[in-house]
Amino acid sequence: MAGRLVLIVVLLALLAPPAPADASAMPEAPNCPIYPADDVWHSNIQQMPVNPMSATWIANMGGPGRLLHPDFGGPYGYQLQVVDGATPTTRVAFDYAAESDDVPYPFTASTPIEPASDAHAFMLNRESCLLYELFAASWNGGSPTAGSGAVFDLKRHDLRPSGWTSADAAGLPIWPGVLRYDEVARGLVDHAIRFTAQRTDRSFVWPARHQAGVASDVSLPPMGARFRLRADFPFDGFGPQTQVVLMAMQRYGLILADNGSNWFFQGSVDPRWSDQLISELKRVPAGAFEAVDASSLMLDPNSGRVPAAATNQGLLAGWHSTWQQQSPYLVMSPGQVAGFWIRFSNSGTETWQRGIWGKQANLGLNGDDKLPYRLGMAADWLWDDRIATTTAPTVAPGEIAEFRFNVRAPVIPGTYRLNLRPVIDGTVWMEDQGVFWLIVVR
């Protein structure tokens, strides 16, 4: 019975992390962040207000009963070629030359080209961290052509000039919004996901730079519109990897980036995608989403950088916390003990003080759940339903706290998840915003 239990590490909701740091780096290019951690792609939208056009836009995107469609799995999806400084480069002839970056591209005869009609090609230089993207690409016997091309420095926040397209209709990079197997497998997708709609307005909202709408009609969504999975959407009945994706859709949401079939979202080509994940994602209805107004994230219309300490809110009066970052999920052996860490910002006006009852911030099992303790998962915890306290003696308002703790894997194989929530014992539980952390025992 315990082997079937699914316990959760629920930790608090996110805002953009407080300082630039490597984020979403791929195993093939570990020194290249997929944009800094304080970039709009990594911004949390759980606290953003609902856009007043939300219901109208969803109605015009196939209606609330329309189901999500993961446009990947098996041989389908986007494929990135990782290159270096020794890779040959060549000039590309563009149809939309006025809005394309006219530089040499590391585009070769071996570069994968999407077999679908858009014929996208993606190249990342692991040394310079420059991302090259092409639309309607063709090697053309060594005289390459493309509809358009764009280059993005993944270490910077620069957006394209306003009004310029990219390899995407929204003028945004594509690859940072693609769902990758490696991040789902590690248990943390920390960015918004790119998706498409059949009919869009002839407008765009930040961070988009371009539109390709069918009509000037405000009842249609604009390029750059942000949608999030509602907080009340139940995760019960979905597998661990699917829950990782659903949590990303709640935290970071979806960004409308191109015209195409309604609610199609993109992932990488990878044979490890499971049929279970794909089929489960196809069960999620559009009505489970809501459009948000994320305009308060914008610091500069020409930059993707978002506020470092918070997104759309300052400090809240009283005791509050906001999830920032956590160590990866692990596959553990029965009885194995492993260390973990998780970070929260103190988003309230009260200082957390270790060692003072009523002011010490602890990482607690939500609802004082003692089942993990009974399963033998406690390893040097504070007590049966309190996992750890802060490593720093004081955490002032706006500062980041780290909790470090050990977990012992249950002896029966299965998938477990711990429901955790920060608490000031003797004073108040802080927000429960549904962040989860899975432990797989094999």
Side-chain angles (χ1 to χ4, degrees), residues 92-93 107-108 113 119-121 134-147:
V92 179
F107 183 47
T108 68
I113 297 176
H120 287 114
L134 297 172
F135 162 69
S138 172
W139 179 239
N140 194 33
S143 300
T145 63

Side-chain angles (χ1 to χ4, degrees), residues 114-120 135-137:
E114 179 193 13
S117 58
D118 284 349
H120 287 114
F135 162 69

Side-chain angles (χ1 to χ4, degrees), residues 36 46 82 152 186 189 197 317-318 325 333 344 375 430 434 440:
Q46 286 178 295
V82 178
F152 302 91
R186 74 174 178 172
V189 175
Q325 202 173 16
S333 302
F344 293 87
L375 291 172
M430 290 186 276
V440 179

